[in-house]
Amino acid sequence: MLRELAIRDIILIEALDLSFGAGLSVLTGETGAGKSILLDSLGLALGGRAVDGLVRAGAERGSVAARFDLIPDHPARALLDEQGINVEGDELVLRRSVAADGRTRAFVNDEPVSIGLLRRVGETLVEIHGQHSEVGLLDPATHGPLLDIFAGATGTVAEVAAAHAAARVARDQAEAARRAVAEAGREEDYIRHALAELDKLAPESGEEAGLAERRLFLQGAEKTAEAVREALEQVEGSGHSVAQRLRLAARSVGRVAPRAAGHLDAALAALSTAGDAIAEVESALAAAGRALDFDDRELERVEERLFALRAAARKHGCAVDDLAQKRDALRRQLDLIESGEGALKAAEAAEAAATARYVEIADGLSRLRVKAAAKLDKAVMAELKPLRLGTAVFATTIERLAEPDWGPGGIDRIRFEVATNPGSPAGPLAKIASGGELARFMLALNLALARRGGAPVLVFDEIDRGIGGATAAAVGERLARLSEKFQVLVVTHSPQVAARGAMHLTVAKSARGKALPKVEVTSLDRAARREEIARMLAGASITDQARAAAESLLAGERV
């Protein structure tokens, strides 16, 4: 509920503090008194567009602050919580400041916010209806949710949203499976050919380094073998080998050593050691020679293998050591092609089941909407006749959307349409109805929707324009009835409407000398209300008859 509105230096308002109560508050005053300035100021605090010339002449900055009492589960709390703004207690203050150069700043509970966020919060708090209204019921996007609340179908709407999300997930998974199979299928011939080549090649991790090392060895093996042969020839000699000569020498010394009194023992031992060493040399050189005795084609085979591996690596754009992994990846791709059809069929079956589930629930919601639309149309039509719109037609149109346009809100496009003249086609509220008609349509619709869960504050700007007598009285009665569930503020020129207010404010413009005129707002007591309503009935010259008529209106009597 709107509790206070504080305005500073806006157009003709220097400083104004207004307090509001529950129920119906009426604002009256002569044409041009400044009532529109109050509504423009409220709209500014709610995030409305800031036009040029808002700041009072001579002031550097103007501001408007609106204080609301907020119930615990009001949607504004969740909206602000998403932005990291915690609303403690039950007070919410929206404030907008405007500099003389047109720049504006927005605040919620003194925390700076974007104008967009201020507007979104404002839309949850107040709906302004009138000849310049551009929010609330005029937006076709609100018509579906309003009909769903009227139908008591909010639970079904939540089920539809959940089913839509599940269907979208299933669709994305099926599409991913289709893309994977299609992509793999386009390369199937290449994959099979490349995999066959790699299977034949049978690459192994670390194989390149071993082959390169073997190749280097084989490239120098021939010279190494020649050196070994030359060494053996030197050791073996052309006649007796060194080992044989040492053995002969040892035999000769050994025959005479017993008679040499030990002088030949050292020589005999050295000859024995040298013989053993030479024998080991001969054995080692012979073994090396046998090891170096390789097939002349081995080098060719090693080089062919190495070159084949490196060529395959270049072809597949990877390192030689990664060829084995590449082969495994190709095999997995081929497995996907061969087994992917089954996975794709399963994904498509899941997609079809999820979509069918969504359509089933959405169709049920659509049927609820059709039934509720008939009841809503009937309820609104019942309100139109006493509002002097007896020849008008209100219709809720429900159109099935094309499948690509289905969404979390269902499969319907819902619009409130009106036809104000007999025989004329129905069309959107904002385009068909005039300003006064539009306000009365809004009133009738709000009465029919009753506690629809929208903004708790409704503002009607001259809803009684162009009407009087019984029609104005009917408007007043319906505004009073609406104010039992909402806080209602109405700018009116109708005494029948003004008399219904629980609170009556009068707006006047005062001028002193050459100074700028100022807008002043006065809260009226019972006696002052009678005088104001009498002025509205009689004009500038208030008669006793006008006062008596005003008293009758205040007493609830028809005049």
Side-chain angles (χ1 to χ4, degrees):
M1 181 171 65
L2 177 63
R3 280 298 186 187
E4 295 177 356
L5 183 66
I7 306 172
R8 298 290 184 272
D9 293 321
I10 297 294
I11 309 179
L12 298 179
I13 299 175
E14 183 176 4
L16 186 62
D17 294 290
L18 300 177
S19 297
F20 298 92
L24 176 62
S25 297
V26 297
L27 286 83
T28 63
E30 296 182 355
T31 300
K35 298 183 295 296
S36 62
I37 298 177
L38 295 180
L39 294 188
D40 289 343
S41 298
L42 176 59
L44 188 67
L46 299 172
R49 189 168 64 92
V51 298
D52 292 337
L54 277 175
V55 179
R56 188 176 64 86
E60 295 182 356
R61 180 176 298 276
S63 68
V64 183
R67 184 174 72 82
F68 295 86
D69 285 346
L70 214 58
I71 59 178
D73 59 347
H74 194 281
R77 293 183 185 272
L79 183 59
L80 291 169
D81 188 60
E82 290 176 2
Q83 305 299 320
I85 300 175
N86 182 33
V87 180
E88 296 182 357
D90 59 0
E91 183 174 285
L92 182 68
V93 178
L94 308 187
R95 182 165 61 88
R96 186 91 170 271
S97 67
V98 187
D101 60 7
R103 290 179 298 175
T104 71
R105 298 181 66 192
F107 302 86
V108 173
N109 283 1
D110 285 331
E111 291 193 41
V113 298
S114 67
I115 302 300
L117 178 59
L118 184 70
R119 184 180 304 112
R120 291 171 63 196
V121 173
E123 288 173 355
T124 70
L125 295 166
V126 180
E127 285 184 2
I128 300 178
H129 302 301
Q131 56 182 336
H132 302 299
S133 178
E134 297 176 356
V135 296
L137 297 174
L138 290 179
D139 184 0
T142 67
H143 297 175
L146 290 178
L147 180 62
D148 291 336
I149 293 173
F150 181 81
T154 52
T156 306
V157 172
E159 290 182 30
V160 169
H164 179 267
R168 184 173 57 185
V169 170
R171 182 177 65 247
D172 291 345
Q173 291 174 342
E175 184 59 32
R178 282 189 286 268
R179 285 197 304 268
V181 170
E183 183 178 350
R186 285 193 296 270
E187 300 180 358
E188 181 176 0
D189 291 341
Y190 164 75
I191 291 171
R192 290 188 181 278
H193 175 74
L195 182 58
E197 284 185 338
L198 288 178
D199 281 341
K200 183 178 179 180
L201 188 62
E204 297 178 3
S205 181
E207 186 178 7
E208 181 186 24
L211 288 171
E213 183 179 354
R214 181 65 176 168
R215 179 190 179 211
L216 183 63
F217 167 75
L218 291 175
Q219 285 175 334
E222 186 175 348
K223 291 182 178 180
T224 304
E226 179 62 29
V228 169
R229 285 194 294 273
E230 290 179 356
L232 274 173
E233 289 177 359
Q234 293 298 325
V235 172
E236 293 176 349
S238 55
H240 296 295
S241 67
V242 173
Q244 289 175 329
R245 289 198 295 273
L246 287 173
R247 284 195 294 273
L248 290 173
R251 191 180 302 158
S252 298
V253 172
R255 283 198 297 269
V256 299
R259 298 190 296 272
H263 294 291
L264 294 176
D265 291 347
L268 187 60
L271 284 170
S272 176
T273 300
D276 291 340
I278 289 300
E280 288 181 9
V281 169
E282 287 180 342
S283 176
L285 288 173
R290 289 191 299 272
L292 293 171
D293 185 15
F294 55 87
D295 185 351
D296 292 340
R297 294 190 67 254
E298 185 181 358
L299 175 60
E300 182 180 347
R301 289 194 298 271
V302 169
E303 288 184 334
E304 286 177 354
R305 175 69 177 173
L306 185 60
F307 295 158
L309 288 170
R310 289 175 174 173
R314 287 194 298 273
K315 180 178 180 179
H316 292 287
C318 65
V320 171
D321 284 346
D322 294 334
L323 283 174
Q325 295 179 2
K326 181 66 177 179
R327 178 183 58 186
D328 293 341
L330 290 172
R331 185 171 288 115
R332 286 193 297 271
Q333 284 184 268
L334 190 58
D335 290 342
L336 176 63
I337 294 172
E338 294 173 345
S339 64
E341 288 298 329
L344 175 58
K345 288 179 181 178
E348 289 179 335
E351 177 189 18
T355 301
R357 173 64 176 160
Y358 167 75
V359 173
E360 178 186 3
I361 301 175
D363 276 336
L365 175 61
S366 187
R367 289 190 294 271
L368 287 175
R369 286 168 169 171
V370 170
K371 292 180 180 179
K375 294 179 180 179
L376 178 62
D377 294 349
K378 184 178 179 180
V380 173
M381 292 292 291
E383 298 291 345
L384 293 180
K385 186 175 181 179
L387 294 175
R388 217 178 74 176
L389 290 171
T391 60
V393 175
F394 176 88
T396 303
T397 64
I398 301 176
E399 174 188 354
R400 190 180 180 95
L401 294 167
E403 185 172 348
D405 297 325
W406 293 352
I411 57 178
D412 305 308
R413 177 181 290 113
I414 300 169
R415 293 191 302 270
F416 297 150
E417 296 186 342
V418 299
T420 55
N421 298 307
S424 62
L429 282 167
K431 293 184 178 180
I432 300 299
S434 66
E437 291 170 333
L438 182 59
R440 281 177 279 157
F441 270 114
M442 295 302 181
L443 175 59
L445 188 54
N446 271 300
L447 288 167
L449 291 170
R451 195 60 241 177
R452 61 180 175 81
V457 183
L458 302 177
V459 178
F460 292 94
D461 183 11
E462 298 188 14
I463 193 174
D464 50 9
R465 216 169 24 254
I467 62 173
T471 303
V475 170
E477 290 172 2
R478 279 150 180 79
L479 286 172
R481 193 199 321 163
L482 191 63
S483 69
E484 295 174 1
K485 298 182 180 294
F486 298 90
Q487 183 186 28
V488 180
L489 279 67
V490 58
V491 174
T492 181
H493 287 286
S494 167
Q496 290 89 345
V497 173
R500 287 283 181 173
M503 178 180 183
H504 191 153
L505 302 173
T506 183
V507 183
K509 189 185 297 182
S510 64
R512 295 181 180 85
K514 295 182 178 180
L516 284 173
K518 294 181 180 180
V519 172
E520 297 178 348
V521 179
T522 304
S523 179
L524 304 181
D525 59 16
R526 170 83 181 199
R529 288 188 69 189
R530 186 187 64 178
E531 288 299 301
E532 173 65 8
I533 293 172
R535 181 198 64 77
M536 297 171 72
L537 286 166
S541 179
I542 302 176
T543 64
D544 290 339
Q545 290 85 350
R547 290 187 177 95
E551 186 64 38
S552 296
L553 287 175
L554 287 170
E557 302 174 6
R558 289 189 178 271
V559 177

